[in-house]
Amino acid sequence: MRPLLQVALDSNSLSEGLKVANILGDEVDVLEVGTILCLQEGMEPVRCLRALFPNKIILADTKCADAGGTVAKNCKNAGADWMTVICSATIPTMQAAFKEIDELQVELYGNWTMEDAKKWKEIGITQAVYHQSRDALLAGESWGKKDLDRVQALIDMGFKVSVTGGLELETLKLFAGMNIYCFITGRSLREVEDPKAEAKKWKEEIKRIWG
């Protein structure tokens, strides 16, 4: 399966997020209401995106750590298909969230282990997001063998693995031969002269590598 392309709307306001969505919505597969935007505007961005893009996958990147059932229900009622939970959330929190949303993604930060991943798999979660954090990237870290090995290990466990954090067009080739589920990027699409043309380049590169 060819990887999907997701744009993260890590905006500080609804108007800013909708401006980007209007430009890129038809070019990407998944529209993400980023954590910052969720915190600033609640579920209104999700409702707006659902009204504007009725056939797109919409993700609420809540990074939920508690009250999973309530948060997930609110996301679903607003029109989200997917929601994120942080990997440090308890299993009961994840289970409660998973009952209320179509797809639950575990976002991987910090000191998670493969034993943790086995527990997530056991409760039926199939999506994981491998994240190179912004702080790590600012500290000089970059995608390397350690990351690729962990991503592959998750794939081998049966997870649909999305990757994010400092991705650039030229980064995609690092993942050649791997069954990546989705590439998630924000600034690399948003903060260029022609975001729509850039998104087309990403889709073309994905097609070139994965056929």
Side-chain angles (χ1 to χ4, degrees):
M1 176 179 166
R2 190 181 299 163
L4 303 174
L5 179 61
Q6 175 175 320
V7 64
L9 303 177
D10 290 318
S11 309
N12 282 304
S13 68
L14 176 59
S15 56
E16 186 183 342
L18 291 181
K19 180 180 178 181
V20 175
N22 185 55
I23 296 170
L24 290 172
D26 290 330
E27 303 300 332
V28 300
D29 304 297
V30 184
L31 288 163
E32 171 194 330
V33 179
T35 308
I36 293 168
L37 188 53
C38 285
L39 290 170
Q40 286 288 91
E41 304 278 7
M43 288 295 101
E44 190 60 20
V46 175
R47 284 187 281 269
C48 290
L49 289 178
R50 178 52 67 211
L52 292 170
F53 301 96
N55 299 316
K56 287 287 178 182
I57 297 170
I58 295 174
L59 166 71
D61 187 18
T62 62
K63 295 184 176 66
C64 180
D66 196 10
T70 300
V71 174
K73 189 172 185 178
N74 290 342
C75 291
K76 177 67 175 178
N77 288 344
D81 303 290
W82 300 352
M83 186 188 99
T84 61
V85 290
I86 196 70
C87 59
S88 56
T90 65
I91 293 297
T93 292
M94 293 182 183
Q95 287 175 311
F98 201 22
K99 289 179 182 178
E100 303 292 343
I101 196 82
D102 295 347
E103 286 280 353
L104 191 67
Q105 294 182 330
V106 179
E107 190 134 2
L108 306 177
Y109 281 97
N111 299 316
W112 60 276
T113 67
M114 288 298 170
E115 285 300 314
D116 295 325
K118 288 178 183 177
K119 294 176 184 177
W120 306 330
K121 200 75 170 57
E122 286 170 1
I123 64 171
I125 294 174
T126 60
Q127 287 205 45
V129 180
Y130 189 93
H131 203 289
Q132 276 276 36
S133 74
R134 184 178 299 182
D135 294 335
L137 291 163
L138 289 173
E141 296 183 26
S142 60
W143 290 95
K145 185 177 185 301
K146 179 183 72 173
D147 301 300
L148 299 178
D149 286 347
R150 296 195 88 186
V151 169
Q152 187 60 55
L154 289 165
I155 293 170
D156 291 342
M157 286 180 67
F159 282 100
K160 294 184 285 188
V161 182
S162 299
V163 294
T164 187
L167 294 177
E168 303 286 348
L169 184 63
E170 58 269 22
T171 316
L172 299 184
K173 63 179 178 290
L174 295 176
F175 301 92
M178 300 176 69
N179 189 23
I180 301 299
Y181 185 58
C182 185
F183 288 108
I184 307 168
T185 186
R187 287 168 292 170
S188 294
L189 291 183
R190 298 193 317 265
E191 298 178 8
V192 295
E193 186 174 343
D194 190 340
K196 184 173 286 193
E198 187 69 13
K200 289 180 185 294
K201 290 179 183 177
W202 279 64
K203 295 288 279 190
E204 289 168 2
E205 182 70 351
I206 289 170
K207 184 177 181 180
R208 183 187 72 80
I209 297 171
W210 282 271

